[in-house]
């Protein structure tokens, strides 16, 4: 699905972190280094399939931020405890306002954001090892090399 946001700034937001006691997170914190912004939820069956690959990518140094979309925060915290947390920042979007601004249709969806906070690519669906290797790794590397 095409996104009208390609080439535009990541939408402005100020939302709570999934982690209790953490400071609110804003779009400004997405600047400074290239990253993947992964929209996920505990109710999303496909996210469960994708999650081990995200953990592996994070271990390899890929910067991943999460947007927990229209979810119960307690369930999200349990998920991250049970399945590990690949996210450097994890944004709590219980009402779906950020998802709406991003044009999210569902989960998982992943946005490639450059170090200036500009969305360069959007991938809808599960990122598995083949998709990463054949389609997405080179896109992420381009952002790193810029």
């Amino acid at each position: 699905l095409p996104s009208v946001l390609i080439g535009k700034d990541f939408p402005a937001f100020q939302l709570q972190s999934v982690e209790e006691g953490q400071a609110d997170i804003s779009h400004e914190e997405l600047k400074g280094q290239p990253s993947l912004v992964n929209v996920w939820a505990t109710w999303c069956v496909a996210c469960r399939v994708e999650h081990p690959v995200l953990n592996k990518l994070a271990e390899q140094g890929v910067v991943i931020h999460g947007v927990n979309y229209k979810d119960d925060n307690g369930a999200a915290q349990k998920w991250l405890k049970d399945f590990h947390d690949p996210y450097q920042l994890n944004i709590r979007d219980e009402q779906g306002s950020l998802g709406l601004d991003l044009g999210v249709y569902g989960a998982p969806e992943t946005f490639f954001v450059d170090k200036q906070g500009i969305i360069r690519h959007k991938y809808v669906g599960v990122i598995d090892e083949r998709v990463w290797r054949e389609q997405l790794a080179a896109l992420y590397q381009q952002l790193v090399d810029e």
Side-chain angles (χ1 to χ4, degrees):
L1 299 170
S3 174
V4 297
L5 296 178
I6 303 301
K8 298 192 172 146
D9 289 333
F10 199 90
F13 71 90
Q14 178 94 20
L15 292 166
Q16 292 179 310
S17 172
V18 169
E19 297 300 317
E20 298 291 339
Q22 298 286 325
D24 285 357
I25 301 169
S26 82
H27 60 284
E28 292 296 325
E29 292 174 74
L30 300 181
K31 295 180 181 178
Q33 60 184 344
S35 63
L36 306 181
V37 178
N38 176 251
V39 178
W40 69 282
T42 61
W43 48 260
C44 166
V45 175
C47 295
R48 189 175 293 254
V49 173
E50 179 180 67
H51 200 79
V53 175
L54 297 181
N55 281 320
K56 187 174 181 182
L57 293 175
E59 289 170 10
Q60 296 170 359
V62 175
V63 176
I64 308 172
H65 304 303
V67 176
N68 184 239
Y69 180 63
K70 292 187 176 180
D71 207 350
D72 173 76
N73 200 57
Q77 290 172 341
K78 182 176 182 337
W79 166 293
L80 296 170
K81 183 178 175 213
D82 292 347
F83 301 118
H84 304 291
D85 186 350
Y87 306 113
Q88 291 191 11
L89 298 171
N90 208 346
I91 302 153
R92 188 171 162 180
D93 189 22
E94 287 175 305
Q95 303 305 312
S97 59
L98 179 55
L100 183 66
D101 290 345
L102 287 167
V104 168
Y105 289 90
E109 293 187 17
T110 304
F111 296 84
F112 288 60
V113 180
D114 71 14
K115 63 185 174 186
Q116 288 84 29
I118 297 171
I119 297 172
R120 295 295 179 191
H121 184 74
K122 176 182 177 181
Y123 184 80
V124 176
V126 173
I127 296 175
D128 60 21
E129 290 185 21
R130 182 189 57 76
V131 166
W132 179 256
R133 182 179 62 250
E134 295 178 7
Q135 297 179 42
L136 303 178
L139 293 170
Y140 181 75
Q141 191 60 51
Q142 284 176 345
L143 295 180
V144 170
D145 292 344
E146 285 182 353

